[in-house]
Amino acid sequence: KDAGRAGRYTPALPKQRPGLPMSPSSSPSPAFLAARVFLPFALGYYLSYLLRTVNAVISPDLTSELGLSAADLGLLTSTYFFAFGLAQIPVGIALDRFGPRRVEAVLLLITGLGAVLFATGDGLPTLASARGLIGLGVSACLMGGLKGFTLWFPREKLASMTGYIMSCGALGAVTASAPLEALLPFIGWRGAFWAVAALSVGSAALIFFSMPDKDDGHGSGTLQEALRGVREVLVAREFWGFSGQSAFFTGGFMALQGLWAVPWLMEVNGYSRALAADHLFWLNIGMLAGQLSIGAWATPLARRGFTPLHMMQVGLFLSMVVLGLILVEVGPTLLLWCVLGYVSATGAQMYGVVAGLFPMKLSGRVTTCINLMAFVGAFAVQWGLG
């Protein structure tokens, strides 16, 4: 059986490339893995999550400047999820076939193009199309990182690595809350997207030129064989056992965090946009703290029998409890939103849990298929609420 599935996976050595000398007998150091593997993926996912949640803060500007209705705003924002979801199966095949370095670098260039179109758009069709391009462009940011981690890190470290990269996404969400709200009077929402375009191109260059290659069979097999792998995932009972949780727990949280949290706080609680953005900031701080906690404690807890699956079960239950308290307005509102972010962070362990049920050669397709369910749910919930 696959040594990785038995927990005995040892990262192979990278291909020797110009600027990346390594003797055949050496093995990658933790510093090498952090600088050349983790950090480039982490930067890409930071950018992805910033773009996922940015409309929550700029939504008042969009509605007032462009005259958008709530349904228009929901559709505009959710085209990100729609394009992201459509891309997942092709992205999964590409990751397993060509490797995360090439795939993610190319897609981030598309992100930059979408950001430029959004920054220059003046109507719903243009902005929705640009938002869709952005969703397509960042569609491999997390999945590429997870695929890279399965190639370079031992399986017992994957839960912690998932926590750490998700914390970088949470940092992107933090950036897109109160800090962005404070910058908007100076740069405007169009200036913010010009900055995103520059960051996207820079991230693509870093991933392509900094990250090492690894010979793990990229490009082997036919497209028909790749599609058979997708079918193997989609017909598996193990996959469908997690699909509802992915769509409505993970996807529902993204719909709330990415758009409707701020309008809810302004309309239902009667807060100003600045105060609502503060609550979104603390929601994202809670998620950041939750992901960092998972990164630090997932591996020791798993050794004591508290697995990532147990973590997800507890987090789902506590999320529903906290949401109930928010709905009935019992308790300090700011603290409740922060706790909601903290306990919801456990949902990201779904990717590693589901991937562990399949052979490693299918890891890219497994994680993108389960991610497809999350983004279908996010699209449906976000537009449906609007």
Side-chain angles (χ1 to χ4, degrees), residues 73-91:
L73 184 61
L75 176 61
L76 164 63
T77 306
S78 60
T79 53
Y80 170 104
F81 296 119
F82 183 72
F84 197 118
L86 284 180
Q88 287 308 291
I89 290 179
V91 161

Side-chain angles (χ1 to χ4, degrees), residues 190-376:
R190 296 183 187 274
F193 274 88
W194 279 112
V196 163
L199 283 173
S200 300
V201 174
S203 298
L206 177 65
I207 287 171
F208 188 80
F209 293 109
S210 174
M211 189 176 297
D213 262 328
K214 184 173 182 182
D215 184 7
D216 69 323
H218 295 330
S220 62
T222 65
L223 178 59
Q224 186 177 9
E225 291 171 339
L227 292 173
R228 277 201 297 267
V230 174
R231 181 181 180 277
E232 181 181 340
V233 174
L234 291 178
V235 301
R237 184 180 63 180
E238 294 86 352
F239 172 81
W240 289 106
F242 287 89
S243 61
Q245 181 266 348
S246 178
F248 295 107
F249 179 36
T250 303
F253 180 81
M254 288 192 292
L256 178 70
Q257 179 194 41
L259 178 61
W260 291 118
V262 169
W264 169 275
L265 287 161
M266 292 175 68
E267 296 294 334
V268 177
N269 293 87
Y271 295 158
S272 66
R273 185 174 75 169
L275 185 55
D278 285 342
H279 281 68
L280 182 63
F281 173 81
W282 284 104
L283 170 73
N284 295 327
I285 286 290
M287 187 175 69
L288 173 61
Q291 298 296 358
L292 288 173
S293 298
I294 291 171
W297 292 102
T299 301
L301 287 174
R303 293 195 188 107
R304 291 168 171 79
F306 190 76
T307 66
L309 178 59
H310 295 143
M311 199 181 303
M312 287 168 50
Q313 292 166 335
V314 172
L316 173 57
F317 172 74
L318 292 178
S319 294
M320 291 188 290
V321 171
V322 176
L323 278 169
L325 294 174
I326 288 173
L327 288 172
V328 298
E329 299 184 51
V330 173
T333 307
L334 195 66
L335 177 61
L336 287 175
W337 283 86
C338 185
V339 172
L340 177 63
Y342 188 88
V343 296
S344 296
T346 57
Q349 293 301 309
M350 166 188 59
Y351 299 106
V353 169
V354 181
L357 303 175
F358 293 85
M360 187 177 292
K361 66 181 181 180
L362 296 176
S363 61
R365 280 159 283 187
V366 173
T367 52
T368 51
C369 283
I370 200 70
N371 208 36
L372 169 62
M373 300 306 299
F375 279 81
V376 167

Side-chain angles (χ1 to χ4, degrees), residues 28-41:
S29 66
F32 173 90
L33 292 175
R36 297 296 186 107
V37 179
F38 176 78
L39 286 179
F41 283 129

